[in-house]
Amino acid sequence: MDHSLALPLLIGLVMMGLAFDFLNGLHDAANAIATVVATRLLSPVVAVLFAAAGNFAAYWFVGLHVAETVGKGIIDKDAVTPAVVFGALVGAMFWNVVTWVKGIPSSSSHALIGGLLGAGMAHGGFAVVESSGTTKTVVAIVASPVIGFVIAMLLMLITSWVFRGTSSRSANKSFKGLHLLSSAAYSISHGGNDAQKTMGIIAVLLYSTGHLSGEFHVPEWVVLSCYTAMALGTLSGGWKIIKTMGSKLTKLNHHSGFCASGAGSMVVFGASALGIPVSTTHVITGSVVGTGAARRASAVRWSVASRVIVAWVITIPASAAVGALFYAITCLF
């Protein structure tokens, strides 16, 4: 369905989408670099440069399955209007700013999904919701951090056994290198999954306004723009959330940092291959908690973890409500 829109307004909405991607990178910088900053493997400035490079490098390593899911697998692409896109982006950005100010590592991804669902249902009711894409996304909210938790615990146990006869100095040197590699992998996986959500939003906007010829697809300029915006946002850092992720949940060292980043990258790369828009924040949080639990239950600050979980639970409803509200306000004009 062609929903005509004046070119300046279309450009404004595209820029708003890229602004969300920038904010996503700013908000989620902690995902990839919290462990290397907390363990002082890299200085904060070098770490954000490192993560930003990894975010952009995803362009060469990750397909566009997630962008396609977000573009046509959450809300019927023929029911998406410019007002729906506007409501979705405002809902997501509002929640991102609130949690960023509070230093709570919530999910930018699920804020965007929530905003899209809220605005979409305000426009066309429950009938416009694509059950397959929405179901697998909602299931991933619960499953992805649990899988990260389990894999991180297993990695802790396996690597502890492998290095059992090695001196602590030698083992620590090995884990430094492994930690850096796993952090790079997580930065790439983060960019590959998170930047694609905005690609899907911009692509479906172009499709709905008649600016995307042929079948639904993601233009190359949209891909490059989103990866660039994500990388620039990451360069701006997200220090409050880095503090929560890197030191408040559990005490990290190079061994546990490698296991957390390694487990997280496995989960996110796997989800991207399946076209599932997971929360990289949820995944790395589950993985960090898993490394602490592998040592002993008391090594995890469960009070902080429970506060993070509460933010997860209310992210989609909160951003959906704001998305629906701003869709309604837009319709008044």
Side-chain angles (χ1 to χ4, degrees):
M1 186 178 295
D2 184 355
H3 302 280
S4 59
L5 185 69
L7 186 59
L9 290 177
L10 176 65
I11 293 171
L13 276 176
V14 170
M15 294 304 295
M16 190 174 174
L18 294 177
F20 171 78
D21 232 1
F22 177 88
L23 187 60
N24 192 345
L26 171 68
H27 189 275
D28 289 2
N31 292 350
I33 66 173
T35 61
V36 291
V37 172
T39 56
R40 298 183 180 178
L41 180 60
L42 296 176
S43 70
V45 173
V46 173
V48 292
L49 289 169
F50 181 77
N55 282 177
F56 192 85
Y59 172 76
W60 291 282
F61 293 99
V62 184
L64 296 176
H65 306 301
V66 173
E68 292 172 2
T69 296
V70 174
K72 59 183 181 179
I74 304 297
I75 295 293
D76 180 1
K77 65 183 185 299
D78 292 320
V80 175
T81 67
V84 168
V85 172
F86 178 77
L89 289 171
V90 172
M93 293 171 79
F94 171 82
W95 187 247
N96 263 6
V97 170
V98 169
T99 52
W100 175 57
V101 169
K102 297 291 185 182
I104 301 170
S106 70
S107 169
S108 299
S109 309
H110 292 140
L112 183 60
I113 298 300
L116 184 58
L117 285 170
M121 287 189 290
H123 171 69
F126 288 99
V128 304
V129 178
E130 296 285 357
S131 58
S132 60
T134 303
T135 299
K136 69 181 181 181
T137 301
V138 172
V139 168
I141 292 175
V142 178
S144 58
V146 173
I147 295 170
F149 178 93
V150 172
I151 294 176
M153 283 191 71
L154 290 174
L155 282 176
M156 284 288 288
L157 295 172
I158 292 168
T159 51
S160 295
W161 181 81
V162 169
F163 285 88
R164 67 192 186 282
T166 308
S167 68
S168 58
R169 183 177 179 181
S170 178
N172 191 55
K173 185 177 180 181
S174 298
F175 281 123
K176 272 188 176 182
L178 291 170
H179 187 188
L180 196 62
L181 286 174
S182 67
S183 182
Y186 198 76
S187 294
I188 294 171
S189 70
H190 167 244
N193 199 281
D194 273 16
Q196 286 194 41
K197 289 139 191 169
T198 309
M199 293 177 202
I201 293 290
I202 293 175
V204 77
L205 172 66
L206 296 173
Y207 176 85
S208 69
T209 53
H211 289 85
L212 197 62
S213 57
E215 291 295 314
F216 178 86
H217 65 282
V218 183
E220 189 74 4
W221 70 266
V222 173
V223 177
L224 287 169
S225 298
C226 287
Y227 277 133
T228 300
M230 172 75 71
L232 290 174
T234 300
L235 280 174
S236 301
W239 307 114
K240 286 186 177 181
I241 299 173
I242 289 171
K243 186 177 179 182
T244 299
M245 294 287 290
S247 60
K248 289 187 177 180
L249 287 170
T250 190
K251 187 176 180 180
L252 291 170
N253 54 32
H254 295 306
H255 180 195
S256 55
F258 157 67
C259 293
S261 298
S265 60
M266 290 180 200
V267 175
V268 179
F269 274 128
S272 296
L274 295 172
I276 303 174
V278 297
S279 165
T280 53
T281 309
H282 290 197
V283 172
I284 196 63
T285 303
S287 301
V288 168
V289 172
T291 63
R295 297 197 300 273
R296 62 186 185 280
S298 60
V300 178
R301 295 182 178 89
W302 296 105
S303 61
V304 177
S306 62
R307 178 166 159 258
V308 171
I309 291 170
V310 168
W312 293 354
V313 172
I314 63 176
T315 289
I316 286 184
S319 54
V322 179
L325 174 63
F326 274 88
Y327 168 81
I329 291 171
T330 304
C331 290
L332 295 176
F333 298 97

